[in-house]
Structures are given as structure tokens and as C-alpha cells.
């Protein structure tokens, strides 16, 4: 049985709302009314209004027609492609404060600190360095492996 609107994943709903907001921002930044933009796209003004509201009843074909004609990039990534893109984005991102609760191996290296504490990147690097014989990188989550790689990129290999 096909899913009803009520069965759609909340992330998908939020995505549609975000798309609608971006279309609306585009329209307003170009000082266009819904009527004028809809006419130029050869669609009904109510259809454009639905898209801008994130209405789930707008057809995928109509949404793609609007987005492509406005010059928006349309891509669909497989889960593995998305994961690779996330890895590339995070590869050199180093937060100002590293929450120990998010990195179990680091937390074990900082046994004297509370789980809700955070440390700076240089301290995290020093903690990993001091306890490197007590852990294996293979036991780290992907998130912690990315942090570890970033710390090594910035401060040098352990």
C-alpha cells in the first residue's frame, strides 16, 4: 500500500520545507511576485505557493521543473556517495571545543575528566598521544577516526 502523507519521514518533510524556503528567498531576492515568477515558469501561482510552503502534494516533476528552471542544482546521492561527501567535508574540520561524550576513545584517554567536559584540539591531541598504546584506531567510530585524522593533519602523526 502506498504511503500516505502522514507516513513520510520527518527528514523528508523538513527537506521539502527547506527547498520551499530557498525558492521563496530566490524569488524575493529577485523582487518577483509569485504571480510573475509562476507565469515565467508557465505554472499556476498556486503551484508555486505550494512549493514555497513545502506542501507535500506538489508533484516531483513539477518541483524539478521549477528548480531546474531557476538554476538550482539537482543531485541525488546514494547513501555511500553521501557518506563519502560527508567524510570529505569533515576531513579538515576541527571544532574549537571537542565534547568528550562524542568520542569514547578520547574519553577513555581523559579518564580524569567528566564525560560532559570538553577539551581543545591541542589537549585532545596530547591525550591521544599520551595514551596511544592503550587504544587502536580500528576501535574508533567513523566520527572519532575523522577527528583523529584531522588532529594528525594539523599537529602531525602520533
Amino acid at each position: 500500500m502506498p504511503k500516505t502523507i502522514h507516513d513520510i519521514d520527518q527528514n523528508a518533510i523538513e527537506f521539502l520545507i527547506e527547498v520551499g524556503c530557498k525558492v521563496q528567498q530566490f524569488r524575493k531576492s529577485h523582487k518577483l511576485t509569485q504571480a510573475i515568477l509562476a507565469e515565467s515558469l508557465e505554472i499556476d501561482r498556486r503551484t508555486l505557493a505550494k512549493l514555497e510552503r513545502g506542501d507535500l502534494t506538489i508533484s516531483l516533476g513539477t518541483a524539478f521543473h521549477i528548480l531546474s528552471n531557476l538554476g538550482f542544482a539537482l543531485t541525488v546521492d546514494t547513501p555511500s556517495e553521501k557518506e563519502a561527501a560527508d567524510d570529505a567535508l569533515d576531513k579538515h574540520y576541527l571544532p574549537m571545543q571537542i565534547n568528550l561524550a562524542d568520542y569514547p576513545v578520547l574519553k577513555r584517554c581523559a579518564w580524569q575528566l567528566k564525560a560532559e567536559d570538553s577539551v581543545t584540539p591541542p589537549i585532545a591531541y596530547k591525550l591521544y598521544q599520551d595514551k596511544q598504546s592503550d587504544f587502536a584506531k580500528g576501535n574508533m567510530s567513523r566520527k572519532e577516526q575523522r577527528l583523529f585524522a584531522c588532529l594528525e593533519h594539523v599537529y602531525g602523526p602520533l
Side-chain angles (χ1 to χ4, degrees):
M1 171 172 217
K3 289 193 173 210
T4 64
I5 290 175
H6 303 291
D7 294 336
I8 294 176
D9 179 62
Q10 185 62 35
N11 290 332
I13 293 169
E14 290 171 8
F15 176 75
L16 292 171
I17 291 169
E18 181 183 349
V19 167
C21 287
K22 288 184 179 190
V23 169
Q24 185 178 55
Q25 288 170 353
F26 174 89
R27 177 180 59 77
K28 288 182 175 184
S29 72
H30 288 83
K31 298 181 178 17
L32 299 170
T33 65
Q34 283 182 340
I36 290 171
L37 183 57
E39 185 179 330
S40 73
L41 293 168
E42 299 177 349
I43 60 169
D44 188 77
R45 184 205 56 81
R46 291 173 295 193
T47 302
L48 180 60
K50 280 182 173 183
L51 179 67
E52 287 185 0
R53 281 195 313 268
D55 189 316
L56 301 174
T57 61
I58 190 167
S59 77
L60 188 58
T62 300
F64 280 179
H65 167 76
I66 294 168
L67 295 170
S68 64
N69 280 298
L70 295 179
F72 283 79
L74 302 174
T75 62
V76 177
D77 296 330
T78 64
S80 60
E81 290 169 335
K82 184 179 180 327
E83 191 175 281
D86 289 346
D87 284 350
L89 286 175
D90 291 342
K91 189 174 185 177
H92 299 297
Y93 172 73
L94 197 55
M96 298 293 285
Q97 289 292 315
I98 299 167
N99 296 321
L100 294 175
D102 296 337
Y103 302 98
V105 173
L106 180 60
K107 172 58 190 126
R108 284 195 304 277
C109 292
W111 57 269
Q112 67 278 24
L113 300 175
K114 296 177 186 167
E116 62 272 6
D117 288 343
S118 60
V119 295
T120 62
I123 291 174
Y125 180 77
K126 180 78 170 126
L127 287 165
Y128 280 130
Q129 190 176 41
D130 291 346
K131 301 290 183 179
Q132 67 183 342
S133 61
D134 297 342
F135 67 86
K137 287 188 228 181
N139 294 338
M140 294 179 175
S141 66
R142 290 180 56 80
K143 181 178 180 178
E144 191 157 11
Q145 287 176 4
R146 286 193 301 265
L147 172 67
F148 190 84
C150 189
L151 289 168
E152 285 193 316
H153 176 77
V154 172
Y155 299 108
L158 292 181

